[in-house]
Amino acid sequence: LRATVEGGGSASAAGALALGSLPGEEGDSDMTRLGMRAFIGRRLFAALGEALFECQRFKSKENEAVATWQGECAFLAMYIRKMAKEGGAGR
């Protein structure tokens, strides 16, 4: 580490080289990381979008449980947990 710092290199770069590649980064690392990011993003936004849609549907029926922002947050958390428990409703 001392030799790297004195030689003008950065300590974080030396640490990254010492660690090597992480699991899932073998081979074409850019494509793997981008693919994982896209997959997680699609799943997350699909679940969140569905939960928001259902929340608005309940709100349009003047449901008192979602009348406040705290109620909306509680509904979203409950709905996303329910979707996760069910396995994403066949997704």
Side-chain angles (χ1 to χ4, degrees), residues 3 24 75 85:
F75 179 87
K85 188 175 182 180

Side-chain angles (χ1 to χ4, degrees), residues 28-88:
D28 191 11
S29 64
D30 290 338
M31 194 62 166
T32 302
R33 283 183 281 169
L34 181 61
M36 288 297 289
R37 231 180 254 142
F39 174 76
I40 291 169
R42 280 193 310 267
R43 295 289 303 260
L44 175 65
F45 289 123
L48 187 57
E50 187 175 335
L52 285 168
F53 176 80
E54 289 297 322
C55 183
Q56 290 301 314
R57 191 170 67 83
F58 276 87
K59 203 171 185 178
S60 71
K61 295 179 181 179
E62 298 179 10
N63 189 326
E64 291 182 21
V66 292
T68 64
W69 68 268
Q70 292 96 339
E72 288 183 35
C73 290
F75 179 87
L76 293 174
M78 181 264 322
Y79 195 85
I80 291 172
R81 282 188 191 121
K82 185 179 97 175
M83 284 179 58
K85 188 175 182 180
E86 294 173 354

